[in-house]
Amino acid sequence: MRTMVSLAGLAVLGAVLIGAAPAPQAPVKAPPTPQDILDAAPAAAWKDIAADDLVVMTLADGSSVVYQLAPRFAPVHVANIRQLVRSGYFDGAVILRVQDGYVVQWGRPDEDKTEAKGIEKHPPAEYEFTAKGTSLVPLPWPDSYAKTTGHIDGWPAASDGKSDWLVHCYGMIGVARDVAPDTGDSTQLYTVIGQAPRHLDRNLAVVGRVIKGMEFLTARPRGTGDLGFYKTDPERLKIVSAKMASDLPAGDRPALQVLDTHSGTFDRWLHAKANRSGAFFVRPAGALDICNALPPVRKAP
Amino acid sequence: MRTMVSLAGLAVLGAVLIGAAPAPQAPVKAPPTPQDILDAAPAAAWKDIAADDLVVMTLADGSSVVYQLAPRFAPVHVANIRQLVRSGYFDGAVILRVQDGYVVQWGRPDEDKTEAKGIEKHPPAEYEFTAKGTSLVPLPWPDSYAKTTGHIDGWPAASDGKSDWLVHCYGMIGVARDVAPDTGDSTQLYTVIGQAPRHLDRNLAVVGRVIKGMEFLTARPRGTGDLGFYKTDPERLKIVSAKMASDLPAGDRPALQVLDTHSGTFDRWLHAKANRSGAFFVRPAGALDICNALPPVRKAP
């Protein structure tokens, strides 16, 4: 937790290792920080995100939010989202709800009867899938909620050994639904903006993750209605357009990469995050929870 | 995750229990929700928060933020905060930093040389204290970071059996410092606005919790400088005044109560939160992490 002074201090003291045994013969070299590890990563450790998995949402305040879809986990919901985007359903939709410490939700208000054309109206739940943890690379630290947590191909996940599911971490996107489980058709989506509401895991379909422009959603004024819904239309920020990146001219597509969760770089980054060192940290945590271990994303160099 | 429709739906379906065995002879009664339990709590389950533990911060946009101090855990830092507030140090201070998913920090910019009068300039760290978990009421669920988590007199805490410490949950307040551990003097404070950054536990002094008006801090535009610092003065929202509630006229004091973490109501509330039921939830989590278990606060009736 650094002040401006400490930024300068860090530069000066970058080589000092607090808490390490003194090494009078040789100069002490601080272990690399998580950022050092990312900066030194080979190009092969970064994977391009397919343009057909990226949605670019332009908001009426001029900001732009990019989210990545998770077709492996929720194929029917993701097909719905692609169809809704391509049919223009979200062009002119709005931010409906901002509940502090919980979620931002967007779509069309209930009184808006715009037809959602060509989608599966009653998708299967897709809350979990029966991979039995086979492709999950586990974290070595316990979790409050699940037997195992870890990563499946770039996504934060959990497993009970029978089925796997994506977890409700900061920035993850889910499908809002009514009381009945089959009422979520992807016309309204939400993203998590506070402490991970893990009680929602396996109760709603998780379909993606905001990977750019999250701050334009989180900094919206909180709604003053029940559950943080905005009460009046002027409070609702308009979504000018939502486009599949694959439908944009090549030069306009966001070129984003995610750190390969099967790479050695990712493993080193995880362990450096769990064991912060350097001048500032007095005591490394020695652990990391899954929602503090979201795979880093960068602009392609 | 409810749409507006589902709010109406919930009212209608409030008595339906999904996932329970059918009970053809008797009507099924849904177990109480966390809110039901709070609504039914006896007055004795709520404890008044001492006015001398409350700071009322009025911001230049007209909003008001109230935070509670934790003198038991960080007595020297809390004494500094009371002194800084009473000497007017924070009147005219600003919000310095909003880093998305991490912290909001306030105080005076480094170039502002206003003297902090009458404080202990080099307080002890107060990162942890050696209560050995004796007064901690443990949660029965595992934690990624600590041997035990639970509550100590209304505060979220952790223990390794040798010492206890307050944890960096959403809304918890810590003391910003420079690189050296004894450089935090409470002139700059921060609060957590995203997934709990538990790697900060035992690396910084935790001194309190925002209990009212959190949304006025979290909805600020994110700073565009390093670590979310605002680059220019006009971006920094001014703190018009900070007052100890105990110094306000009796009628102007915020009358707030916290649910007694030693009460049966609290215990029932925790378990209802860990095992959500009712029409909406398909599968209860069966667990709760410490940062989803912050004691509820209410206005005194």
Side-chain angles (χ1 to χ4, degrees):
Chain A
M1 199 55 42
R2 297 137 189 182
T3 65
M4 292 303 275
V5 174
S6 77
L7 278 176
L10 278 171
V12 175
L13 298 169
V16 177
L17 176 63
I18 290 189
Q25 272 86 28
V28 175
K29 194 167 179 301
T33 65
Q35 189 59 49
D36 291 339
I37 289 167
L38 296 185
D39 292 344
W46 294 94
K47 289 170 72 172
D48 292 328
I49 301 174
D52 210 42
D53 288 347
L54 289 178
V55 179
V56 180
M57 202 157 67
T58 304
L59 304 175
D61 64 359
S63 66
S64 164
V65 174
V66 180
Y67 61 88
Q68 179 186 4
L69 299 170
R72 173 169 174 178
F73 298 87
V76 183
H77 284 93
V78 165
N80 272 4
I81 294 171
R82 289 189 180 122
Q83 165 62 19
L84 289 164
V85 167
R86 291 201 157 107
S87 67
Y89 182 83
F90 288 115
D91 303 347
V94 294
I95 297 181
L96 291 163
R97 169 190 186 193
V98 183
Q99 184 171 0
D100 194 61
Y102 200 45
V103 295
V104 174
Q105 186 168 327
W106 63 93
R108 289 181 176 271
D110 293 329
E111 64 271 21
D112 179 333
K113 302 299 178 195
T114 302
E115 198 194 338
K117 286 178 193 151
I119 63 166
E120 171 58 54
K121 298 271 185 190
H122 301 283
E126 299 185 321
Y127 299 165
E128 52 194 312
F129 65 107
T130 55
K132 302 181 182 178
T134 45
S135 36
L136 186 142
V137 181
L139 290 181
W141 305 289
D143 178 67
S144 299
Y145 295 88
K147 193 176 157 190
T148 313
T149 57
H151 297 87
I152 302 179
D153 278 353
W155 294 94
S159 179
D160 62 5
K162 289 181 211 136
S163 65
D164 301 353
W165 59 93
L166 294 186
V167 291
H168 276 84
C169 297
Y170 189 88
M172 294 294 284
I173 295 175
V175 173
R177 64 167 168 88
D178 213 325
V179 172
D182 69 349
T183 50
D185 60 5
S186 296
T187 52
Q188 290 192 4
L189 303 172
Y190 63 88
T191 187
V192 170
I193 62 167
Q195 177 72 10
R198 298 280 305 278
H199 63 285
L200 300 179
D201 290 359
R202 295 197 277 181
N203 282 289
L204 292 130
V206 180
V207 294
R209 177 185 167 202
V210 176
I211 54 173
K212 193 159 175 283
M214 185 67 184
E215 66 274 22
F216 302 117
L217 299 176
T218 52
R220 304 293 314 154
R222 278 48 185 153
T224 56
D226 286 339
L227 307 175
F229 278 93
Y230 291 118
K231 287 178 181 167
T232 63
D233 199 55
E235 295 172 276
R236 297 170 179 150
L237 185 68
K238 193 157 277 193
I239 299 167
V240 176
S241 73
K243 301 281 178 209
M244 297 306 305
S246 47
D247 294 342
L248 294 173
D252 293 349
R253 293 179 194 164
L256 295 168
Q257 298 181 317
V258 62
L259 189 63
D260 182 354
T261 51
H262 295 283
S263 67
T265 297
F266 184 74
D267 200 51
R268 286 191 296 279
W269 174 82
L270 273 182
H271 285 84
K273 278 202 84 163
N275 298 286
R276 306 280 182 129
S277 58
F280 189 80
F281 287 94
V282 176
R283 182 194 285 268
L288 198 63
D289 67 280
I290 183 64
C291 290
N292 273 308
L294 300 184
V297 170
R298 71 169 188 182
K299 226 174 138 172
Chain B
M1 200 54 40
R2 296 136 190 182
T3 66
M4 291 304 275
V5 173
S6 77
L7 278 177
L10 279 171
V12 174
L13 297 170
V16 177
L17 176 63
I18 289 188
Q25 272 85 28
V28 175
K29 195 168 177 302
T33 65
Q35 189 59 49
D36 292 339
I37 290 166
L38 296 185
D39 293 344
W46 294 94
K47 289 170 73 172
D48 292 329
I49 301 174
D52 210 41
D53 288 347
L54 289 177
V55 178
V56 180
M57 201 157 66
T58 304
L59 303 176
D61 64 359
S63 65
S64 162
V65 174
V66 180
Y67 61 88
Q68 179 184 5
L69 300 170
R72 174 170 173 175
F73 298 86
V76 183
H77 284 93
V78 165
N80 271 3
I81 294 172
R82 289 189 180 120
Q83 166 62 20
L84 289 164
V85 167
R86 291 201 158 107
S87 66
Y89 182 85
F90 289 114
D91 304 348
V94 294
I95 297 181
L96 292 163
R97 169 189 184 194
V98 183
Q99 184 171 1
D100 194 62
Y102 200 45
V103 296
V104 173
Q105 186 168 328
W106 63 92
R108 289 182 176 269
D110 293 328
E111 65 270 21
D112 179 333
K113 302 299 179 196
T114 302
E115 197 194 340
K117 287 179 194 152
I119 63 166
E120 172 57 53
K121 299 272 183 189
H122 300 284
E126 299 185 320
Y127 299 164
E128 53 193 312
F129 63 106
T130 55
K132 301 180 184 179
T134 46
S135 36
L136 185 143
V137 182
L139 290 180
W141 305 290
D143 178 67
S144 300
Y145 295 88
K147 192 175 159 191
T148 313
T149 58
H151 297 86
I152 302 178
D153 278 355
W155 293 96
S159 179
D160 63 4
K162 289 181 213 136
S163 65
D164 301 353
W165 60 94
L166 293 186
V167 290
H168 276 84
C169 297
Y170 190 87
M172 294 293 285
I173 296 175
V175 174
R177 65 166 168 88
D178 213 325
V179 173
D182 69 350
T183 50
D185 59 5
S186 296
T187 51
Q188 291 192 5
L189 302 171
Y190 62 87
T191 186
V192 169
I193 62 167
Q195 176 72 9
R198 297 279 304 280
H199 62 285
L200 300 179
D201 291 358
R202 296 198 276 181
N203 282 289
L204 292 131
V206 179
V207 294
R209 176 185 167 203
V210 176
I211 55 172
K212 194 161 174 281
M214 185 67 183
E215 66 274 22
F216 302 117
L217 299 177
T218 53
R220 303 294 313 153
R222 278 49 185 152
T224 55
D226 287 339
L227 307 174
F229 278 93
Y230 292 118
K231 287 180 182 167
T232 63
D233 199 56
E235 295 173 276
R236 298 170 180 152
L237 185 68
K238 194 158 274 194
I239 299 168
V240 175
S241 73
K243 300 281 179 208
M244 296 307 305
S246 47
D247 294 341
L248 294 173
D252 293 347
R253 292 179 195 163
L256 295 169
Q257 298 181 317
V258 62
L259 190 63
D260 182 354
T261 51
H262 296 283
S263 68
T265 297
F266 185 73
D267 200 51
R268 286 192 294 281
W269 174 82
L270 272 183
H271 285 84
K273 278 201 85 164
N275 298 285
R276 306 283 182 127
S277 56
F280 188 80
F281 286 94
V282 177
R283 181 194 286 267
L288 198 63
D289 67 279
I290 183 65
C291 290
N292 273 307
L294 299 184
V297 170
R298 71 168 187 182
K299 225 175 140 171

